[in-house]
Amino acid sequence: MFAHDIIIKPVLTEKGYDGIASKTYTFIVAKDANKTQIKLAIESIFGVKVASVNTVTCKGKLKRMGRHEGYTPDRKKAIVKLAEDSKTIEFFDALS
């Protein structure tokens, strides 16, 4: 698996913005990726030092369209905490 296949997109929410000041970033990642793969992907893509990675598997929500119903896809979120001596991720600097 390549680094860009593991990291799908950043999560840009109010809770995500609150963590930028403390070097904590949230990403949607591949469902089959583990914490070690996520850490290596973040370090190679952004050139930073990762201190810890926490993951959350989010189940899909039930959605209805008329009389048909189904679930949205499951997804996995990774909360990445950078090391104290690491630089910040430039993408998020413009948002804060």
Side-chain angles (χ1 to χ4, degrees):
M1 225 182 220
F2 296 108
H4 290 284
D5 294 334
I6 294 172
I7 307 300
I8 297 173
K9 66 180 181 178
V11 176
L12 303 174
T13 59
E14 285 186 38
K15 195 170 184 180
Y17 290 135
D18 292 341
I20 293 175
S22 61
K23 294 186 179 179
T24 304
Y25 304 98
T26 308
F27 296 94
I28 300 289
V29 296
K31 285 188 282 189
D32 56 344
N34 59 29
K35 291 182 180 185
T36 307
Q37 291 172 332
I38 294 167
K39 178 181 178 178
L40 294 174
I42 294 289
E43 288 177 346
S44 68
I45 292 172
F46 298 109
V48 295
K49 239 168 140 183
V50 175
S52 66
V53 176
N54 294 328
T55 58
V56 180
T57 304
C58 303
K59 297 289 183 186
K61 293 181 180 178
L62 179 66
K63 296 289 184 177
R64 292 184 48 188
M65 193 69 130
R67 59 185 142 167
H68 302 287
E69 62 182 27
Y71 286 90
T72 60
D74 297 345
R75 63 187 190 277
K76 188 174 195 177
K77 287 196 304 188
I79 297 97
V80 178
K81 173 84 171 145
L82 300 184
E84 291 297 325
D85 59 343
S86 176
K87 64 177 186 143
T88 60
I89 297 176
E90 291 86 16
F91 173 77
F92 291 96
D93 289 341
L95 302 174
S96 60

